[in-house]
Amino acid sequence: MQNINELLAFIENSPSPFHAVEEINKNLENAGFTRLYEQDDWSLEKGKGYYVCRNYSSVLAFRVPEAGLPAFNIVASHCDSPTFKIKENPQITTGPYLTLN
């Protein structure tokens, strides 16, 4: 239930993609990530998390591993502009369930 409440709070605080990026930045800071700026020289430390914000509309976050890894993972997402919304004629009925598109 806590995850659902966190998601709902994130959506409530993100009426636009710019607000969503601001919320993500806050969450990363609270999780101990350090903001980096593209124009600066970076000094990265093993085990630390970092993020870059570009144009206040996108975020790239990563964690430097403690030791070498045989592979790496990339996770990506986006939020549609201008905001999260319900489409016209959104009702989809599947069995006893009604969902909104």
Side-chain angles (χ1 to χ4, degrees), residues 6 9 12-13 20 36 39-40 44 46 49 65 67 79 86 88-90 93:
E6 289 173 3
E12 179 71 26
N13 293 327
L36 300 172
Q39 69 273 14
D40 294 345
L44 305 178
K46 292 180 180 181
C79 58
I86 297 174
E88 289 185 40
N89 305 313
T93 303

Side-chain angles (χ1 to χ4, degrees), residues 66-95:
E66 292 283 347
L69 297 174
F72 59 90
N73 298 316
I74 297 175
V75 178
S77 180
H78 73 92
C79 58
D80 291 329
S81 180
T83 187
F84 298 109
K85 64 181 178 181
I86 297 174
K87 295 181 178 181
E88 289 185 40
N89 305 313
Q91 297 86 359
I92 300 172
T93 303
T94 307

